[in-house]
Amino acid sequence: QVQLVESGGGLVQTGDSLRLSCATSGGTVSIYIMAWFRQPPGKEREFVGAIGSGGVNTYYADSVKGRFTISRDNAKNTVYLQMNSLKSEDTAVYYCAASSSTLWSGVALTDRYKTWGQGTQVTVSS
């Protein structure tokens, strides 16, 4: 059973940077598509970005494109989300998710992911 544990969240100011980590265990996660989602206060969970198994293919939501970068270190079983130029609207609980399907189509869809972490809070203060 694959397990995901996020870390790295916290309180930062507008314009700051933060790196989230997602530690994986319990399966061959190196072949999985991994993604980050977030849930702002009072809103639905939304897609942030995804990365393919080899770390080459990436896809981002328009709201974070150019500011956020997803990467993965399969040797360390860890996926990262580097967040730069943070804005107050980036405030949310951030979740890591894993999809055992290798199809790239539909990577932004919540239903695609069957394994989720517990989330880590990111608060951006202006």
Side-chain angles (χ1 to χ4, degrees):
Q1 179 100 13
V2 173
Q3 294 184 325
L4 309 176
V5 178
E6 302 96 335
S7 62
L11 173 63
V12 296
Q13 295 187 330
T14 301
D16 284 352
S17 297
L18 202 60
R19 189 178 79 159
L20 305 183
S21 298
C22 173
T24 71
S25 62
T28 312
V29 185
S30 60
I31 66 173
Y32 286 20
I33 290 174
M34 302 295 295
W36 288 93
F37 287 76
R38 66 186 182 186
Q39 187 163 13
K43 296 184 179 181
E44 297 288 318
R45 192 171 298 189
E46 61 186 31
F47 173 77
V48 174
I51 187 166
S53 59
V56 176
N57 291 334
T58 56
Y59 179 65
Y60 298 94
D62 287 344
S63 59
V64 306
K65 199 174 296 181
R67 299 188 298 122
F68 290 12
T69 303
I70 295 178
S71 61
R72 65 191 299 164
D73 185 337
N74 287 337
K76 295 183 178 180
N77 295 318
T78 304
V79 179
Y80 304 98
L81 180 66
Q82 177 68 43
M83 304 185 294
N84 298 329
S85 303
L86 283 162
K87 306 175 181 179
S88 57
E89 51 262 45
D90 295 320
T91 294
V93 177
Y94 283 72
Y95 297 91
C96 179
S99 171
S100 59
S101 171
T102 57
L103 294 177
W104 191 243
S105 174
V107 293
L109 301 177
T110 305
D111 290 346
R112 168 71 181 272
Y113 300 88
K114 306 304 180 186
T115 304
W116 294 81
Q118 83 289 348
T120 185
Q121 176 71 46
V122 173
T123 302
V124 184
S125 172
S126 56

